Amino acid sequence: MSRTVIRYEPARPDDGAPDDGALRERLREQAAERRRFGYRRLGYLLAREGMRPNHKMLLRIYREEGLRVRRRGVRKRGLGTGRPMVFPDGPNE
């Protein structure tokens, strides 16, 4: 095995980078405010505010926070009139 593989130490601790705090908090606030937005659209909103995480970091934090786009309910359809269908008795009716 190569020495570089054995001696590799990750730069980021397991619990997240220390500067993630503000980004995590703002991401949670935006997701609560705009429930229909996924991580990409929330990333654009954060970029407007000056926070510019890359998409991989943003997706990682989004998943770690347990955020998801809320599922929409099933649309209810009308039951109809309840009358039987009238069939023609002969041709051209």
Side-chain angles (χ1 to χ4, degrees):
M1 199 179 251
S2 172
R3 272 191 220 163
T4 56
V5 174
I6 293 171
R7 293 182 179 208
Y8 174 77
E9 292 181 17
R12 191 175 63 83
D14 291 336
D15 58 338
D19 59 340
D20 281 359
L23 179 64
R24 283 177 188 272
E25 183 63 33
R26 191 63 189 136
L27 186 63
R28 265 188 263 126
E29 289 172 8
Q30 290 281 5
E33 208 173 291
R34 295 176 171 85
R35 298 176 145 205
R36 299 294 307 156
F37 284 18
Y39 82 98
R40 288 180 192 268
R41 283 178 78 179
L42 291 174
Y44 294 135
L45 294 175
L46 291 172
R48 275 192 213 160
E49 296 176 5
M51 298 179 182
R52 294 198 174 270
N54 65 16
H55 66 281
K56 295 174 282 188
M57 178 182 178
L58 189 64
L59 179 59
R60 176 180 58 80
I61 293 172
Y62 188 82
R63 285 183 177 165
E64 285 175 1
E65 292 298 319
L67 301 172
R68 297 182 188 278
V69 175
R70 306 294 194 268
R71 298 293 302 226
R72 289 191 182 202
V74 180
R75 185 169 185 247
K76 295 181 181 179
R77 296 185 181 136
L79 295 174
T81 58
R83 292 184 302 169
M85 203 169 170
V86 180
F87 293 103
D89 294 328
N92 297 330
E93 282 190 6

